Amino acid sequence: MEILMVGCGKMGGAMLRRWLDEVPARFTAVNRTPSAIPDGAQHAGSPEALDGRRFDAIIIAVKPQQIAEIMPAYTPFLKEGGCLISIAAGFSIASIQRELGDNPVIRIMPNLPALIGRSVNGLYADPACTQAHRDLATQLAETTGTAIWVDTEDEIDRITAIAGSGSGYVFEIARSYTAAAEEMGFAPDTARALVLETLSGAIEMARQSDLSLEELRNSVMSKKGTTEAGINALRRDGWLDQLLLETTGAAYQRAVELR
Ligand SMILES: NC(=O)c1ccc[n+]([C@@H]2O[C@H](COP(=O)([O-])OP(=O)(O)OC[C@H]3O[C@@H](n4cnc5c(N)ncnc54)[C@H](OP(=O)(O)O)[C@@H]3O)[C@@H](O)[C@H]2O)c1
């Protein structure tokens, strides 16, 4: 199996590192900055350097706005019967096929914890894809985390808004929570440890629990206690719910604009 990856930045690079360890295929990568390509992948300096080679799959891992400019030079190297796999946010299968010809396309929407094998991956295949294409995409996704197949392409854009962009929301919430801990007088290292351990301990406990998230919240909130005081300030008459609706809604809208 020969796989070409075009774009090897934060997201593509994180996925490729896992694939190199676990997927029995030969990976070739192209990136503007070659030093970002992980050891173990062959480096192709230009489309011309690929002359004579053909790939079972080509991974689109450049920015959505760059697909039309960068990708047409690489798709001629797709084998007959091969497929394109795009991790780009928003950019639709119809747009990919408009720019890159009538090849079968699978969209995978990953998130950055792919680096540690904990990506949540949404997958959608255009009807032209074969079971072999779907099996390859499942294998690539599962090597970086979980594979969740969906029935409509719109669900990929909704997964983008919840999970693809979601690690960014979590980092931002953790940053703000840490700033509040520093404001209370803790040194930056201590504030970071307090916040990250609190978040990961609570999340791991929720993952292992059969209780609903509401029940879990109530279990740490005694009447007139400190947690209740904090949570009342956090929820502020539905303000937190509204904020997260706006956050995910804005990301979904951006994905729709990028289609
Ligand atoms: N980051 C995330 O959390 C995330 C989550 C889900 C999906 N995605 C999707 O993943 C894709 C990549 O995002 P990213 O965050 O990894 O962005 P990124 O770090 O900017 O990666 C894009 C890569 O494309 C390379 N590139 C630019 N021009 C090129 C060219 N002419 N030929 C070959 N390579 C070129 C860049 O190289 P240089 O750095 O040298 O310019 C860079 O390494 C996007 O489509 C995004 O929507 C990202």
Side-chain angles (χ1 to χ4, degrees):
M1 175 85 66
E2 293 270 1
I3 299 179
L4 174 66
M5 175 157 228
V6 184
C8 197
K10 291 180 287 295
M11 194 65 246
M15 299 180 89
L16 182 56
R17 277 183 184 82
R18 306 290 303 184
W19 296 341
L20 284 166
D21 285 344
E22 294 182 41
V23 178
R26 188 155 68 141
F27 288 92
T28 302
V30 188
N31 199 50
R32 194 161 51 187
T33 311
S35 56
I37 295 173
D39 291 344
Q42 289 201 347
H43 164 228
S46 66
E48 295 73 39
L50 295 171
D51 206 21
R53 296 187 55 192
R54 291 291 177 272
F55 296 89
D56 300 278
I58 298 182
I59 315 289
I60 303 173
V62 293
K63 296 278 188 200
Q65 300 88 335
Q66 297 178 304
I67 291 175
E69 173 203 336
I70 296 172
M71 290 307 304
Y74 294 99
T75 42
F77 300 101
L78 189 65
K79 265 185 199 165
E80 181 100 12
C83 70
L84 301 176
I85 298 179
S86 171
I87 67 162
F91 211 79
S92 66
I93 289 175
S95 298
I96 291 171
Q97 289 174 333
R98 187 187 65 232
E99 300 296 340
L100 306 177
D102 211 10
N103 295 299
V105 181
I106 291 181
R107 285 182 63 191
I108 300 183
M109 181 42 55
N111 63 16
L112 211 50
L115 255 183
I116 56 161
R118 289 285 304 276
S119 174
V120 178
N121 299 294
L123 292 92
Y124 175 77
D126 100 65
C129 289
T130 63
Q131 190 56 44
H133 297 146
R134 294 170 69 98
D135 290 346
L136 172 63
T138 302
Q139 184 184 25
L140 292 174
E142 285 182 343
T143 306
T144 68
T146 53
I148 301 169
W149 281 95
V150 294
D151 295 329
T152 65
E153 193 172 359
D154 184 63
E155 284 172 271
I156 290 292
D157 293 336
R158 286 184 270 141
I159 286 177
T160 306
I162 301 294
S165 302
S167 19
Y169 312 153
V170 172
F171 295 142
E172 176 57 8
I173 289 165
R175 182 207 59 75
S176 173
Y177 195 175
T178 303
E182 286 182 39
E183 195 62 31
M184 260 191 188
F186 291 104
D189 285 358
T190 310
R192 181 182 162 113
L194 284 170
V195 167
L196 294 187
E197 286 306 304
T198 299
L199 287 174
S200 67
I203 288 167
E204 195 47 46
M205 183 178 147
R207 290 180 87 216
Q208 291 180 26
S209 173
D210 293 329
L211 296 177
S212 70
L213 293 172
E214 196 170 13
E215 287 168 325
L216 283 167
R217 181 206 61 201
N218 291 343
S219 73
V220 289
M221 204 168 78
S222 49
K223 259 276 154 282
K224 298 199 186 304
T226 57
T227 311
E228 186 187 70
I231 285 177
N232 284 342
L234 181 67
R235 296 179 69 194
R236 211 192 293 168
D237 298 327
W239 171 87
L240 180 64
D241 291 346
Q242 185 57 34
L243 181 68
L244 284 166
L245 278 175
E246 286 177 23
T247 302
T248 52
Y252 174 70
Q253 269 318 311
R254 182 63 187 138
V256 169
E257 284 164 19
L258 287 168
R259 281 176 182 172

